[in-house]
Amino acid sequence: EVQLVESGGGLVQPGRSLKLSCAASGFTFSNYGMAWVRQAPTKGLEWVATISYDGSSTYYRDSVKGRFTISRDNAKSTLYLQMDSLRSEDTATYYCARRKLRYFDYWGQGVMVTVSS
Amino acid sequence: EIVLTQSPTTMAASPGEKVTLTCRASSSVSYMHWYQQKSGASPKLWIYDTSNRASGVPNRFSGSGSGTSYSLTISSMETEDAATYYCQQWSSNPYTFGAGTKLELK
């Protein structure tokens, strides 16, 4: 059974940093691209970043470029999202998702990030 | 960036009623994908590559469309189908989602 379990969320002040983790199990992690998708409270889904199966390629939405870094450790079957210079508009539930090229076939339960002073 | 516009924003359907949700793209896309999200839960892949049901999705759900116009149809509404449905494309970066259609039970 595919499982994606996010952790690392919480309350953080504007301008500070936070690192999210996503522990994967039930599939060969190193064979799949992965992604982070977020959802602000009462809002829709918004793609944040994508990483290739081997970590060699990464893509970001414009609003997080230069502030967020997606990475992975295939030996640990873990995906990461380093978030720096956080803004109030980054407040959201962050989902880890397995990427099937054009779409996302499995999602984690999500982790809440609140950016507020 | 390709913008996806879903309609209606909200709708209510009675058990047994046929339901059609629409997603229009600002430019032509090759495929459309749909997700179901229930309140307090994470999204689930529902329809992929326009017309393929994800594992475990009842066959009363179907997807169709091409170019800039796509739809998700429920042939006969059931209680458990009440949820928000999002369309999503990746014909060109970035991945984009529609704003969602909230489907309620009448």
Side-chain angles (χ1 to χ4, degrees), chain A residues 69-93:
Chain A
T69 303
I70 188 172
S71 62
R72 63 191 298 158
D73 185 334
N74 284 347
K76 295 182 178 179
S77 295
T78 302
L79 176 72
Y80 303 101
L81 185 67
Q82 175 68 45
M83 302 185 293
D84 299 324
S85 303
L86 281 161
R87 305 168 180 168
S88 58
E89 55 263 37
D90 296 319
T91 294
T93 296

PDB file of all heavy atoms in Angstrom, chain A residues 69-93:
ATOM      1  N   THR A  69      13.098  25.138  -1.594  1.00  0.00           N
ATOM      2  CA  THR A  69      13.954  24.156  -2.236  1.00  0.00           C
ATOM      3  C   THR A  69      13.384  22.768  -2.012  1.00  0.00           C
ATOM      4  O   THR A  69      13.209  22.342  -0.861  1.00  0.00           O
ATOM      5  CB  THR A  69      15.388  24.205  -1.691  1.00  0.00           C
ATOM      6  OG1 THR A  69      15.923  25.523  -1.850  1.00  0.00           O
ATOM      7  CG2 THR A  69      16.286  23.204  -2.432  1.00  0.00           C
ATOM      8  N   ILE A  70      13.089  22.074  -3.104  1.00  0.00           N
ATOM      9  CA  ILE A  70      12.622  20.690  -3.024  1.00  0.00           C
ATOM     10  C   ILE A  70      13.828  19.772  -3.180  1.00  0.00           C
ATOM     11  O   ILE A  70      14.724  20.041  -3.990  1.00  0.00           O
ATOM     12  CB  ILE A  70      11.541  20.395  -4.091  1.00  0.00           C
ATOM     13  CG1 ILE A  70      10.918  19.018  -3.880  1.00  0.00           C
ATOM     14  CG2 ILE A  70      12.102  20.554  -5.497  1.00  0.00           C
ATOM     15  CD1 ILE A  70       9.706  18.750  -4.792  1.00  0.00           C
ATOM     16  N   SER A  71      13.874  18.723  -2.401  1.00  0.00           N
ATOM     17  CA  SER A  71      14.979  17.766  -2.489  1.00  0.00           C
ATOM     18  C   SER A  71      14.484  16.395  -2.058  1.00  0.00           C
ATOM     19  O   SER A  71      13.360  16.249  -1.562  1.00  0.00           O
ATOM     20  CB  SER A  71      16.166  18.204  -1.621  1.00  0.00           C
ATOM     21  OG  SER A  71      15.779  18.254  -0.253  1.00  0.00           O
ATOM     22  N   ARG A  72      15.318  15.388  -2.252  1.00  0.00           N
ATOM     23  CA  ARG A  72      14.928  14.040  -1.875  1.00  0.00           C
ATOM     24  C   ARG A  72      16.143  13.239  -1.455  1.00  0.00           C
ATOM     25  O   ARG A  72      17.268  13.518  -1.889  1.00  0.00           O
ATOM     26  CB  ARG A  72      14.223  13.353  -3.032  1.00  0.00           C
ATOM     27  CG  ARG A  72      15.071  13.159  -4.282  1.00  0.00           C
ATOM     28  CD  ARG A  72      14.193  12.710  -5.465  1.00  0.00           C
ATOM     29  NE  ARG A  72      13.557  11.428  -5.209  1.00  0.00           N
ATOM     30  CZ  ARG A  72      12.463  11.014  -5.843  1.00  0.00           C
ATOM     31  NH1 ARG A  72      11.869  11.787  -6.743  1.00  0.00           N
ATOM     32  NH2 ARG A  72      11.946   9.820  -5.571  1.00  0.00           N
ATOM     33  N   ASP A  73      15.909  12.230  -0.629  1.00  0.00           N
ATOM     34  CA  ASP A  73      16.937  11.269  -0.230  1.00  0.00           C
ATOM     35  C   ASP A  73      16.378   9.899  -0.569  1.00  0.00           C
ATOM     36  O   ASP A  73      15.534   9.358   0.173  1.00  0.00           O
ATOM     37  CB  ASP A  73      17.236  11.396   1.259  1.00  0.00           C
ATOM     38  CG  ASP A  73      18.376  10.496   1.704  1.00  0.00           C
ATOM     39  OD1 ASP A  73      18.618   9.453   1.049  1.00  0.00           O
ATOM     40  OD2 ASP A  73      19.016  10.815   2.718  1.00  0.00           O
ATOM     41  N   ASN A  74      16.803   9.344  -1.690  1.00  0.00           N
ATOM     42  CA  ASN A  74      16.245   8.066  -2.135  1.00  0.00           C
ATOM     43  C   ASN A  74      16.629   6.915  -1.199  1.00  0.00           C
ATOM     44  O   ASN A  74      15.884   5.938  -1.096  1.00  0.00           O
ATOM     45  CB  ASN A  74      16.678   7.776  -3.564  1.00  0.00           C
ATOM     46  CG  ASN A  74      15.888   8.607  -4.579  1.00  0.00           C
ATOM     47  OD1 ASN A  74      14.868   9.213  -4.253  1.00  0.00           O
ATOM     48  ND2 ASN A  74      16.366   8.647  -5.810  1.00  0.00           N
ATOM     49  N   ALA A  75      17.739   7.028  -0.532  1.00  0.00           N
ATOM     50  CA  ALA A  75      18.148   5.977   0.408  1.00  0.00           C
ATOM     51  C   ALA A  75      17.204   5.915   1.610  1.00  0.00           C
ATOM     52  O   ALA A  75      17.009   4.859   2.207  1.00  0.00           O
ATOM     53  CB  ALA A  75      19.575   6.223   0.873  1.00  0.00           C
ATOM     54  N   LYS A  76      16.625   7.068   1.927  1.00  0.00           N
ATOM     55  CA  LYS A  76      15.689   7.140   3.061  1.00  0.00           C
ATOM     56  C   LYS A  76      14.236   7.191   2.606  1.00  0.00           C
ATOM     57  O   LYS A  76      13.333   7.319   3.440  1.00  0.00           O
ATOM     58  CB  LYS A  76      16.000   8.368   3.915  1.00  0.00           C
ATOM     59  CG  LYS A  76      17.348   8.331   4.602  1.00  0.00           C
ATOM     60  CD  LYS A  76      17.549   9.563   5.475  1.00  0.00           C
ATOM     61  CE  LYS A  76      18.879   9.507   6.213  1.00  0.00           C
ATOM     62  NZ  LYS A  76      19.099  10.704   7.047  1.00  0.00           N
ATOM     63  N   SER A  77      13.996   7.156   1.294  1.00  0.00           N
ATOM     64  CA  SER A  77      12.632   7.261   0.750  1.00  0.00           C
ATOM     65  C   SER A  77      11.902   8.474   1.322  1.00  0.00           C
ATOM     66  O   SER A  77      10.751   8.376   1.781  1.00  0.00           O
ATOM     67  CB  SER A  77      11.838   5.977   1.049  1.00  0.00           C
ATOM     68  OG  SER A  77      12.408   4.870   0.379  1.00  0.00           O
ATOM     69  N   THR A  78      12.580   9.589   1.308  1.00  0.00           N
ATOM     70  CA  THR A  78      12.029  10.790   1.918  1.00  0.00           C
ATOM     71  C   THR A  78      12.163  11.989   0.982  1.00  0.00           C
ATOM     72  O   THR A  78      13.203  12.198   0.361  1.00  0.00           O
ATOM     73  CB  THR A  78      12.708  11.089   3.260  1.00  0.00           C
ATOM     74  OG1 THR A  78      12.533   9.964   4.133  1.00  0.00           O
ATOM     75  CG2 THR A  78      12.098  12.317   3.923  1.00  0.00           C
ATOM     76  N   LEU A  79      11.090  12.756   0.928  1.00  0.00           N
ATOM     77  CA  LEU A  79      11.024  13.998   0.152  1.00  0.00           C
ATOM     78  C   LEU A  79      11.063  15.167   1.133  1.00  0.00           C
ATOM     79  O   LEU A  79      10.523  15.061   2.237  1.00  0.00           O
ATOM     80  CB  LEU A  79       9.724  14.025  -0.650  1.00  0.00           C
ATOM     81  CG  LEU A  79       9.398  15.274  -1.475  1.00  0.00           C
ATOM     82  CD1 LEU A  79      10.320  15.348  -2.691  1.00  0.00           C
ATOM     83  CD2 LEU A  79       7.929  15.251  -1.900  1.00  0.00           C
ATOM     84  N   TYR A  80      11.672  16.261   0.708  1.00  0.00           N
ATOM     85  CA  TYR A  80      11.781  17.435   1.576  1.00  0.00           C
ATOM     86  C   TYR A  80      11.318  18.691   0.858  1.00  0.00           C
ATOM     87  O   TYR A  80      11.336  18.780  -0.372  1.00  0.00           O
ATOM     88  CB  TYR A  80      13.235  17.640   2.017  1.00  0.00           C
ATOM     89  CG  TYR A  80      13.844  16.472   2.732  1.00  0.00           C
ATOM     90  CD1 TYR A  80      14.693  15.601   2.070  1.00  0.00           C
ATOM     91  CD2 TYR A  80      13.566  16.236   4.074  1.00  0.00           C
ATOM     92  CE1 TYR A  80      15.257  14.518   2.723  1.00  0.00           C
ATOM     93  CE2 TYR A  80      14.128  15.156   4.737  1.00  0.00           C
ATOM     94  CZ  TYR A  80      14.968  14.300   4.055  1.00  0.00           C
ATOM     95  OH  TYR A  80      15.518  13.226   4.705  1.00  0.00           O
ATOM     96  N   LEU A  81      10.926  19.678   1.666  1.00  0.00           N
ATOM     97  CA  LEU A  81      10.678  21.015   1.150  1.00  0.00           C
ATOM     98  C   LEU A  81      11.240  22.003   2.166  1.00  0.00           C
ATOM     99  O   LEU A  81      10.697  22.147   3.268  1.00  0.00           O
ATOM    100  CB  LEU A  81       9.190  21.284   0.923  1.00  0.00           C
ATOM    101  CG  LEU A  81       8.886  22.646   0.264  1.00  0.00           C
ATOM    102  CD1 LEU A  81       9.416  22.672  -1.176  1.00  0.00           C
ATOM    103  CD2 LEU A  81       7.385  22.938   0.270  1.00  0.00           C
ATOM    104  N   GLN A  82      12.344  22.636   1.804  1.00  0.00           N
ATOM    105  CA  GLN A  82      12.931  23.677   2.639  1.00  0.00           C
ATOM    106  C   GLN A  82      12.285  24.990   2.248  1.00  0.00           C
ATOM    107  O   GLN A  82      12.350  25.404   1.088  1.00  0.00           O
ATOM    108  CB  GLN A  82      14.445  23.748   2.417  1.00  0.00           C
ATOM    109  CG  GLN A  82      15.140  24.885   3.152  1.00  0.00           C
ATOM    110  CD  GLN A  82      15.130  24.703   4.655  1.00  0.00           C
ATOM    111  OE1 GLN A  82      15.394  23.611   5.152  1.00  0.00           O
ATOM    112  NE2 GLN A  82      14.831  25.770   5.385  1.00  0.00           N
ATOM    113  N   MET A  83      11.678  25.643   3.222  1.00  0.00           N
ATOM    114  CA  MET A  83      10.961  26.892   2.953  1.00  0.00           C
ATOM    115  C   MET A  83      11.628  28.022   3.733  1.00  0.00           C
ATOM    116  O   MET A  83      11.650  27.999   4.966  1.00  0.00           O
ATOM    117  CB  MET A  83       9.496  26.746   3.375  1.00  0.00           C
ATOM    118  CG  MET A  83       8.783  25.601   2.684  1.00  0.00           C
ATOM    119  SD  MET A  83       7.029  25.513   3.074  1.00  0.00           S
ATOM    120  CE  MET A  83       7.094  25.088   4.800  1.00  0.00           C
ATOM    121  N   ASP A  84      12.208  28.944   3.013  1.00  0.00           N
ATOM    122  CA  ASP A  84      12.872  30.104   3.617  1.00  0.00           C
ATOM    123  C   ASP A  84      12.090  31.385   3.327  1.00  0.00           C
ATOM    124  O   ASP A  84      11.240  31.409   2.439  1.00  0.00           O
ATOM    125  CB  ASP A  84      14.290  30.238   3.058  1.00  0.00           C
ATOM    126  CG  ASP A  84      15.155  29.029   3.365  1.00  0.00           C
ATOM    127  OD1 ASP A  84      14.998  28.453   4.469  1.00  0.00           O
ATOM    128  OD2 ASP A  84      15.977  28.651   2.517  1.00  0.00           O
ATOM    129  N   SER A  85      12.392  32.429   4.074  1.00  0.00           N
ATOM    130  CA  SER A  85      11.746  33.734   3.872  1.00  0.00           C
ATOM    131  C   SER A  85      10.237  33.597   3.747  1.00  0.00           C
ATOM    132  O   SER A  85       9.615  34.119   2.812  1.00  0.00           O
ATOM    133  CB  SER A  85      12.311  34.417   2.618  1.00  0.00           C
ATOM    134  OG  SER A  85      13.709  34.567   2.721  1.00  0.00           O
ATOM    135  N   LEU A  86       9.653  32.894   4.690  1.00  0.00           N
ATOM    136  CA  LEU A  86       8.224  32.605   4.620  1.00  0.00           C
ATOM    137  C   LEU A  86       7.386  33.873   4.727  1.00  0.00           C
ATOM    138  O   LEU A  86       7.741  34.833   5.425  1.00  0.00           O
ATOM    139  CB  LEU A  86       7.838  31.607   5.702  1.00  0.00           C
ATOM    140  CG  LEU A  86       8.202  30.156   5.351  1.00  0.00           C
ATOM    141  CD1 LEU A  86       8.240  29.276   6.590  1.00  0.00           C
ATOM    142  CD2 LEU A  86       7.221  29.602   4.319  1.00  0.00           C
ATOM    143  N   ARG A  87       6.277  33.848   4.007  1.00  0.00           N
ATOM    144  CA  ARG A  87       5.341  34.973   3.965  1.00  0.00           C
ATOM    145  C   ARG A  87       3.968  34.497   4.444  1.00  0.00           C
ATOM    146  O   ARG A  87       3.673  33.302   4.397  1.00  0.00           O
ATOM    147  CB  ARG A  87       5.224  35.502   2.535  1.00  0.00           C
ATOM    148  CG  ARG A  87       6.550  35.880   1.889  1.00  0.00           C
ATOM    149  CD  ARG A  87       6.363  36.096   0.389  1.00  0.00           C
ATOM    150  NE  ARG A  87       7.613  36.457  -0.287  1.00  0.00           N
ATOM    151  CZ  ARG A  87       7.776  36.478  -1.601  1.00  0.00           C
ATOM    152  NH1 ARG A  87       6.754  36.180  -2.391  1.00  0.00           N
ATOM    153  NH2 ARG A  87       8.945  36.839  -2.117  1.00  0.00           N
ATOM    154  N   SER A  88       3.131  35.444   4.800  1.00  0.00           N
ATOM    155  CA  SER A  88       1.788  35.072   5.265  1.00  0.00           C
ATOM    156  C   SER A  88       1.030  34.311   4.183  1.00  0.00           C
ATOM    157  O   SER A  88       0.238  33.405   4.491  1.00  0.00           O
ATOM    158  CB  SER A  88       1.015  36.323   5.679  1.00  0.00           C
ATOM    159  OG  SER A  88       0.929  37.242   4.606  1.00  0.00           O
ATOM    160  N   GLU A  89       1.284  34.640   2.926  1.00  0.00           N
ATOM    161  CA  GLU A  89       0.578  33.970   1.827  1.00  0.00           C
ATOM    162  C   GLU A  89       1.043  32.528   1.603  1.00  0.00           C
ATOM    163  O   GLU A  89       0.460  31.818   0.777  1.00  0.00           O
ATOM    164  CB  GLU A  89       0.685  34.769   0.521  1.00  0.00           C
ATOM    165  CG  GLU A  89       2.097  35.091   0.087  1.00  0.00           C
ATOM    166  CD  GLU A  89       2.537  36.476   0.508  1.00  0.00           C
ATOM    167  OE1 GLU A  89       2.162  36.928   1.631  1.00  0.00           O
ATOM    168  OE2 GLU A  89       3.276  37.118  -0.283  1.00  0.00           O
ATOM    169  N   ASP A  90       2.060  32.105   2.325  1.00  0.00           N
ATOM    170  CA  ASP A  90       2.487  30.697   2.262  1.00  0.00           C
ATOM    171  C   ASP A  90       1.702  29.829   3.242  1.00  0.00           C
ATOM    172  O   ASP A  90       1.873  28.603   3.264  1.00  0.00           O
ATOM    173  CB  ASP A  90       3.981  30.575   2.568  1.00  0.00           C
ATOM    174  CG  ASP A  90       4.859  31.278   1.542  1.00  0.00           C
ATOM    175  OD1 ASP A  90       4.545  31.163   0.337  1.00  0.00           O
ATOM    176  OD2 ASP A  90       5.840  31.929   1.946  1.00  0.00           O
ATOM    177  N   THR A  91       0.861  30.443   4.045  1.00  0.00           N
ATOM    178  CA  THR A  91       0.029  29.692   4.989  1.00  0.00           C
ATOM    179  C   THR A  91      -0.885  28.738   4.228  1.00  0.00           C
ATOM    180  O   THR A  91      -1.653  29.155   3.360  1.00  0.00           O
ATOM    181  CB  THR A  91      -0.809  30.648   5.850  1.00  0.00           C
ATOM    182  OG1 THR A  91       0.059  31.407   6.688  1.00  0.00           O
ATOM    183  CG2 THR A  91      -1.813  29.881   6.705  1.00  0.00           C
ATOM    184  N   ALA A  92      -0.774  27.462   4.518  1.00  0.00           N
ATOM    185  CA  ALA A  92      -1.539  26.452   3.780  1.00  0.00           C
ATOM    186  C   ALA A  92      -1.293  25.073   4.373  1.00  0.00           C
ATOM    187  O   ALA A  92      -0.386  24.883   5.186  1.00  0.00           O
ATOM    188  CB  ALA A  92      -1.114  26.438   2.311  1.00  0.00           C
ATOM    189  N   THR A  93      -2.106  24.135   3.937  1.00  0.00           N
ATOM    190  CA  THR A  93      -1.796  22.722   4.155  1.00  0.00           C
ATOM    191  C   THR A  93      -0.935  22.279   2.982  1.00  0.00           C
ATOM    192  O   THR A  93      -1.298  22.520   1.827  1.00  0.00           O
ATOM    193  CB  THR A  93      -3.073  21.879   4.227  1.00  0.00           C
ATOM    194  OG1 THR A  93      -3.836  22.282   5.361  1.00  0.00           O
ATOM    195  CG2 THR A  93      -2.740  20.405   4.328  1.00  0.00           C
TER     196      THR A  93
END
